[in-house]
Amino acid sequence: MKITFIIPARGGSKRLPRKNIYNLLGKPLIGWSIQACKKSKYYKDNLYVSSEDEEILKLSESLGAKIIERPVRLSGDDVWTQEVLKHAIESSNNLRECNIVVRIQANSPQIRSEKIDECIEKLIEHGLWEVFTVDANGIEDAAIHVLRRECVNQEALSVYKGVVETDYIDVHTEEDILKVSKLLSR
């Protein structure tokens, strides 16, 4: 089974400008996500960052991720992540062969490799099509989304989904930065 990690990280954030490279406790937000992926037991030099932003791409590469240059047309506020994943897979011969895509949010610095692995294992062990993370109220927190390769190109909603509780903060504002800083400093 070939597993691929993809971190979509556009440069045009509005509420917290340059959020994906915003410094949190001495590390850019995307650095936390890259580190979590690299600590996963399923990491085997199979981590990609997709961005239209040259600074994000250079930083990601320096942190050990492979890069995918995304067209600007796939970097707007109205672009669905599924379109970004499709582009990433179609633009690399290595990715076309993957069976499982692990989409990791660039601005969720609480992500832990153990939760990534739990999502992957739940998908495999239960024959699911997708697994994603939710908060304590059962609301998707967008941090981790694991899906079968076929789901990336589908036109309809998936069935056979599972969830893993994480209760991570998806960073979008300075207030979010303060909350996460306190949690990570414990």
Side-chain angles (χ1 to χ4, degrees):
M1 190 154 297
K2 187 169 180 186
I3 297 171
T4 298
F5 296 83
I6 300 175
I7 302 174
R10 70 186 186 97
S13 49
K14 304 286 187 284
R15 290 177 276 180
L16 182 62
R18 311 294 296 152
K19 77 175 172 198
N20 291 321
I21 57 174
Y22 192 94
N23 187 328
L24 174 67
L25 302 174
K27 190 185 308 181
L29 283 180
I30 197 168
W32 293 87
S33 297
I34 289 171
Q35 181 180 23
C37 291
K38 290 174 78 174
K39 288 183 176 180
S40 165
K41 62 184 168 185
Y42 298 97
Y43 171 76
K44 293 173 179 51
D45 197 32
N46 52 345
L47 168 60
Y48 296 80
V49 170
S50 168
S51 184
E52 85 296 354
D53 186 282
E54 191 173 323
E55 186 177 5
I56 291 173
L57 292 171
K58 283 182 182 178
L59 174 64
S60 298
E61 193 169 37
S62 76
L63 295 171
K66 296 176 183 178
I67 59 168
I68 297 171
E69 293 184 31
R70 186 188 330 167
V72 174
R73 68 178 169 76
L74 292 177
S75 298
D77 294 334
D78 59 343
V79 176
W80 293 94
T81 305
Q82 188 168 350
E83 292 302 314
V84 173
L85 295 179
K86 280 183 195 179
H87 171 266
I89 290 169
E90 291 168 2
S91 67
S92 170
N93 287 333
N94 291 337
L95 296 183
R96 289 184 189 141
E97 299 171 9
C98 72
N99 304 97
I100 295 174
V101 176
V102 181
R103 195 268 309 139
I104 301 294
Q105 190 86 331
N107 58 315
S108 296
Q110 296 167 283
I111 293 175
R112 297 290 169 263
S113 59
E114 298 82 12
K115 286 295 181 179
I116 295 171
D117 294 347
E118 184 180 345
C119 290
I120 294 168
E121 289 162 4
K122 186 172 236 181
L123 182 113
I124 294 168
E125 290 170 13
H126 296 282
L128 300 172
W129 292 12
E130 296 183 53
V131 173
F132 54 92
T133 53
V134 297
D135 66 16
N137 295 313
I139 298 170
E140 187 174 9
D141 63 18
I144 305 167
H145 188 170
V146 179
L147 56 157
R148 289 186 188 187
R149 165 71 173 82
E150 308 92 291
C151 294
V152 172
N153 291 319
Q154 71 188 13
E155 299 291 324
L157 295 175
S158 292
V159 294
Y160 307 118
K161 294 182 186 179
V163 298
V164 169
E165 186 177 326
T166 57
D167 212 14
Y168 294 151
I169 295 172
D170 188 17
V171 174
H172 291 287
T173 65
E174 286 279 350
E175 183 179 296
D176 295 337
I177 290 287
L178 294 173
K179 287 179 196 172
V180 171
S181 293
K182 289 178 186 172
L183 291 169
L184 292 173
S185 295
R186 290 184 185 166

